[in-house]
Amino acid sequence: MFANRREMIALMTAAGGMAGLPGPARAEPGDPVFEAFEAARPEQPWTLGYADAPAAGLDGVAQRLTGRLPEGLEGVLYRNGPGRFSRENWRYRHWFDGDGLVQSWHLEAGEAPVHAARFVETRKWRREEAAGRFLVPAFGSAPPDEEGLSGPDGMNAANTSVMMLDGDLLALWEGGSAWQLDPDTLQSDGPRVWGDGLAGLPFSAHPKVDPDGTVWNFGQDAARNALVLWQIAPDGSLRRADMVGDVPGGMIHDFAVTERSLVFLVGNLRFERMRLPYLESFRWDGSRPMRAIAIDKADWSQRRTWDLPPGFLFHVGGAWERTDGTICLDAAMSGDARFAIGGAYDVMRGVAREETVSQARLHRLVLYPGGRSEQSVFDDGYAEFPQVDMRLTGLERRYTWHVGWQPGQIQGPTDIVRRDLVSGATQRFSHDADVIVEEPLFVPAGPAEGEGWLVHTALNTRAAATELHVLDARNVGDGPVASWRLPYACPLGFHGCWRPA
Ligand SMILES: [Fe+2]
């Protein structure tokens, strides 16, 4: 375990790094971002995806639009995403700042889907809810009169993903603790502490689960070119946590595992120096290569590295390793970070523009022993939220599903896409232009890779309502086999997980 846990904690928290930095001056009355967003709402229906959800959450039953629930597809779809952006007429500047709103969709044969949404009651949420205003700096925003940070989880928004672990539901962020929720009621418990001295250490929103149930995760301290690595047993107990250094401070949001390796792609949005809000600590630096790092699962001191063309990514589809050590992976990558440091600010002001919409495309990478690499790209549209048949995590596989959109689509993705990484063949279903699709989650229904269902939510901006769609994962081009619509709209979210009945 750690050589010096206390030092580890001090090193590994963004909060520690930010303590002592001066906060911003109090904003003038009349917040221009809040006012711009409110002014845009009547004319820009897509802004529903970035509007505040009620503090008490939401409860409803979805109405059937078409089809019926496929036999065997019973369980709960959980999703998470930012859902609270403004208090006291002051609005966050960056989409990723909003407090986590966890949603559940209960799917049961012969019944209409039952939906619930609850805010994750982090310490931040409870204090700010009581105060009626934002109190602490967020990832991309510095509220007026903020109080600074009191500890590692002081700014934890728990807003990025969810996972089931041995019966527990965890809401995930990336700069601090996972937050435990009741999987039935969505009531918040508290931060998950994995062991003595480990409270508050960053636990990313993209853990990976090996076929044997072993959970791998990481947390980043970009300021100190370091990562925490986590290995957790299927029963939720900690097997190992430790820090590895010499990882360049490019923002790392996701990673991949193979049977032998933990694989990180370090893009070119690089930590420059600590600033508030935290995102402003990063600057685009295209003068250096993107770095791929494969760390040996069995010996975290052993690594291989590759230099790749400059770029940026949020999400990796998955990876596998050949017997000679060659690593194959796919990822939604772009040549710049225009959405992270542009579009995600724009949407908070009610602005959508071509210049800041992500241009991520699905790339295939082959990392050979000795440092040579190859890249190819699917160039028929943009791609995000790549998904795999998770039974094959770390193993060779053929299919990736993702959301898609085309140049000129500035209000969000409309398409669900299936990619065959071997033949290059593509299936695509395009929803109506006023539907914004969210991450499709693969739910297995048969033994073969890709035999199952794609379950995805979407915001229908014309109907001002959130929808749930189910597609046959092998026949995505045919469109939904079943669809339902809620009587209300939910904010757009990021990631989800499936709990079988
Ligand atoms: Fe993500």
Side-chain angles (χ1 to χ4, degrees), residues 9 15 35 125 190 224 243 274 286 292 297 305 352 425:
I9 292 165
E35 289 175 1
W125 167 268
R224 294 174 180 84
M243 187 167 72
M274 186 63 78
K297 278 176 162 177
T305 63

Side-chain angles (χ1 to χ4, degrees), residues 93 139-142 251 270-283 341 345:
R93 273 45 180 159
F139 172 70
S141 303
M251 193 177 291
R270 295 288 174 95
F271 186 91
E272 188 180 67
R273 66 179 174 82
M274 186 63 78
R275 298 184 183 91
L276 279 177
Y278 183 63
L279 177 56
E280 293 181 10
S281 306
F282 292 81
R283 290 286 183 271
I341 57 175
Y345 289 108

Side-chain angles (χ1 to χ4, degrees), residues 165-166 192 194 212-216 230-240:
L165 181 62
D166 193 39
R192 178 71 163 241
W194 303 98
D212 72 359
T214 300
V215 178
W216 300 90
W230 302 92
Q231 184 188 10
I232 293 159
D235 68 0
S237 63
L238 181 73
R239 283 200 184 132
R240 191 177 174 201

Side-chain angles (χ1 to χ4, degrees), residues 1-12 196-198 201 227-229 240-245 300:
M1 205 65 69
F2 301 117
N4 181 337
R5 285 185 176 170
R6 188 164 298 165
E7 178 188 39
M8 169 93 177
I9 292 165
L11 286 178
M12 287 307 305
D196 282 350
L198 303 180
L201 289 181
L227 298 177
V228 176
L229 302 182
R240 191 177 174 201
D242 212 339
M243 187 167 72
V244 298
W300 295 352

Side-chain angles (χ1 to χ4, degrees), residues 23-34:
R26 181 163 180 78
E28 294 300 311
D31 174 30
V33 173
F34 181 88

Side-chain angles (χ1 to χ4, degrees), residues 160-161 174 205-206 253-254 314-315 385 439 494-495:
T160 312
S161 190
E174 69 183 31
H206 287 283
H253 174 74
D254 190 5
F314 287 113
H315 298 120
F385 299 126
E439 175 185 83
F494 295 132
H495 301 292

Side-chain angles (χ1 to χ4, degrees), residues 72-73 389-391 441-448 450-454 498 500:
L73 184 62
D389 183 332
M390 282 178 276
R391 296 172 296 183
L441 199 68
F442 177 81
V443 180
E451 199 175 338
W453 308 105
L454 281 188
W498 175 256

